[in-house]
Amino acid sequence: MTSATVSGETSSPTIRPEEAAHFGKLAAEWWDPKGSSAMLHKLNPLRLGFIRSAVDMHWGTDVTTRAPLVGKTALDVGCGAGLLCEPLARIGAKVTGVDAAAENIAAARHHAAGMRLDIDYYAGELSTLPAGTFDLVTSMEVIEHVADKAAFVRELVARLAPGGLMILSTPNRTAASKLLLVDGAEMIGQVPRGTHNWDDFIVPEELDELLDAAGMEMGTPRGIAFTAMKGLHLSDDLKLNYIVTATRR
């Protein structure tokens, strides 16, 4: 997938074709909690908890409100088969998902139809979306797969409405993430082989610099950590993976 600005003017490449092909092959199993995307199913509740708290803080919504995104638009970039899009729709957002793999979008549309959820899905570049911006822009576990991270961040920012909220998550480039997320998880089949390239992981300081260059202010990252006692949980430990908000300065 080649990157493009909102106006449709192309820039440097972002998503690598081989990455899109890799994830497209997994489309049929995306909604199987015991399949190749099992780890995403385990991560999703943590992501949603973080998103809910960030939404309440950003827009001042009542924490007891069941649908805090009513009247808001949301865009999930690198949406896969819609694992995050569907719960965002359930809490009130008018959701759009875009993914580089057409197979993932086909699976997303099929599943959303079965759930009777009205979600707009697009396959390919961000430029395939109609012109416009979104109140909430999310991109989970995607930036580590793009060729030009600065161009990708600029595209995300271009899709963010004034006063909007962006939320990103990504693995950290540490010795622990190499051992556990790449060597370990792929070796024992928790993550499909070839999913991660450790050299492409991005540390929080690098992400902060990319966001700053795009006119964004990054919030305090929260780690997605694992222990035998707690399993996966939000933490101050950023060694494996982290999730963070960003807003326009």
Side-chain angles (χ1 to χ4, degrees):
M1 170 167 129
T2 349
S3 68
T5 63
V6 174
S7 66
E9 181 182 334
T10 57
S11 60
S12 56
T14 55
I15 300 296
R16 302 178 178 106
E18 64 272 20
E19 296 272 5
H22 171 79
F23 290 106
K25 291 177 182 177
L26 307 175
E29 295 185 18
W30 206 285
W31 281 98
D32 181 359
K34 296 182 179 179
S36 57
S37 297
M39 186 58 69
L40 295 179
H41 285 267
K42 294 175 182 177
L43 282 171
N44 222 33
L46 299 180
R47 294 169 172 173
L48 290 166
F50 181 92
I51 290 169
R52 175 62 204 252
S53 294
V55 163
D56 288 339
M57 183 172 294
H58 185 72
W59 280 294
T61 48
D62 188 331
V63 295
T64 63
T65 301
R66 296 185 64 180
L69 290 176
V70 167
K72 299 285 193 297
T73 54
L75 170 67
D76 187 34
V77 179
C79 65
L83 205 60
L84 182 61
C85 289
E86 292 198 7
L88 290 179
R90 289 191 177 97
I91 60 173
K94 174 57 180 172
V95 180
T96 298
V98 60
D99 196 87
E103 300 93 333
N104 288 343
I105 293 302
R109 288 172 176 156
H110 177 76
H111 197 273
M115 296 292 106
R116 297 184 179 180
L117 292 172
D118 182 17
I119 299 172
D120 293 327
Y121 283 114
Y122 296 86
E125 308 172 3
L126 277 176
S127 60
T128 62
L129 274 65
T133 57
F134 300 81
D135 300 304
L136 174 66
V137 173
T138 61
S139 188
M140 305 288 140
E141 317 298 311
V142 175
I143 195 170
E144 67 271 19
H145 297 291
V146 306
D148 188 333
K149 292 176 172 54
F152 181 68
V153 168
R154 288 194 299 270
E155 290 180 358
L156 295 178
V157 173
R159 286 291 178 171
L160 187 66
L165 174 67
M166 183 181 295
I167 300 178
L168 308 174
S169 72
T170 187
N172 201 351
R173 193 177 67 251
T174 64
S177 70
K178 187 176 191 302
L179 177 66
L180 295 176
L181 296 183
V182 182
D183 298 338
E186 292 194 13
M187 185 178 298
I188 65 174
Q190 286 288 320
V191 176
R193 286 184 181 274
T195 294
H196 292 127
N197 181 350
W198 182 81
D199 291 329
D200 282 330
F201 288 4
I202 181 171
V203 302
E205 293 79 9
E206 292 167 344
L207 182 58
D208 190 18
E209 290 175 2
L210 291 173
L211 288 165
D212 181 67
M216 301 289 287
E217 182 173 348
M218 190 172 91
T220 302
R222 288 285 284 160
I224 299 176
F226 177 84
T227 64
M229 290 288 290
K230 293 184 177 180
L232 286 169
H233 61 283
L234 291 175
S235 165
D236 293 329
D237 183 352
L238 308 180
K239 289 196 298 288
L240 295 181
N241 196 302
Y242 59 98
I243 187 167
V244 66
T245 62
T247 53
R248 281 200 174 88
R249 282 196 301 271

